[in-house]
Amino acid sequence: MQLRCGLEPRALAALAVVLVGAAVFAAAHFWSARPEPVRAPDRVAEAAAVQDGGPGSPEGPPGLTPGPDPGARPGTAPGGQIVVDVSGKVRRPGIQHLPAGSRVADALRAAGGVRAGTDVSALNRARVLTDGEQVAVGMPAALPPAGATGAGGGAAGQGGPATPVSLGTATVEQLETLPGVGPVLAQHIVDYRTEHGGYRSVDELREVNGIGDRRFADLRPLVRP
């Protein structure tokens, strides 16, 4: 090349250095631009393992216990069910096993429905149930804690309904929610109403067969004409 191009040794050495540098630069550029494998994030890897039936999935190898379901509803029994106690004026009172997310209306249907004439206006039938709770239908209001005071405490302390019962429209079942009133006495109250065309005042309750002074005193704040 020195003879053909007429290059001096010093120029030839400089050209060789330039060529070597260009070759090194090209090799480095090619190496940095090569494709490299990318590791999938942990969440993607876990999802792929679940789809493939790997560890952590319900269908994984025997001996591996799947972790808790993050989507499980709180307040439910294992298996996606809840257990509630339906009591009071229903056809089949007792323990009911319902799917998670059931409402009060579902519990009433599972118990055979509400007995005819029962007032369910105090029940929120759209409320979602929780595991272990009790649904009381047509029962007297709960007694206040011992020593509780306040307005209306006398009426609540008798264990009567939350609102006064109408003597002019109440059914036998509704009258049975009053303290000390059973089926027979409730029927006497209805019979008196039928014979006399209704109740003009609460004091007429004294004239019903089976109601004495003491029972009348207990019932007076719990009823209205």
Side-chain angles (χ1 to χ4, degrees):
M1 182 177 294
Q2 180 180 1
L3 296 176
R4 183 174 299 179
C5 299
L7 296 177
E8 295 181 0
R10 183 174 300 177
L12 183 61
L15 179 61
V17 171
V18 170
L19 293 176
V20 172
V24 172
F25 176 79
H29 178 74
F30 175 78
W31 180 261
S32 62
R34 78 189 190 284
E36 295 182 0
V38 179
R39 183 176 179 273
D42 293 340
R43 292 184 178 274
V44 177
E46 292 175 1
V50 172
Q51 293 178 355
D52 296 338
S57 68
E59 300 179 356
L64 293 179
T65 303
D69 182 7
R73 182 186 299 273
T76 60
Q81 283 194 335
I82 59 173
V83 181
V84 297
D85 180 13
V86 184
S87 60
K89 309 293 184 178
V90 291
R91 292 187 175 89
R92 295 193 302 271
I95 299 297
Q96 303 294 337
H97 298 262
L98 302 171
S102 298
R103 302 178 184 269
V104 173
D106 300 322
L108 298 181
R109 282 193 293 268
V114 179
R115 289 168 52 182
T118 303
D119 183 14
V120 294
S121 59
L123 283 177
N124 179 7
R125 286 169 284 181
R127 180 173 59 82
V128 177
L129 296 166
T130 58
D131 183 53
E133 77 167 280
Q134 182 183 43
V135 179
V137 182
M139 300 295 289
L143 294 173
T149 59
Q158 301 297 329
T163 58
V165 175
S166 173
L167 297 175
T169 60
T171 63
V172 171
E173 288 79 10
Q174 291 172 331
L175 292 170
E176 288 179 33
T177 64
L178 296 169
V181 178
V184 176
L185 183 54
Q187 189 61 52
H188 287 337
I189 296 174
V190 173
D191 293 341
Y192 182 92
R193 179 178 67 199
T194 303
E195 294 173 4
H196 296 81
Y199 289 86
R200 289 173 292 276
S201 69
V202 176
D203 293 335
E204 291 186 38
L205 203 58
R206 290 177 179 269
E207 303 176 18
V208 175
N209 183 26
I211 296 182
D213 293 339
R214 182 173 180 179
R215 182 162 295 172
F216 174 78
D218 293 338
L219 295 176
R220 184 170 186 173
L222 306 177
V223 296
R224 58 184 175 86

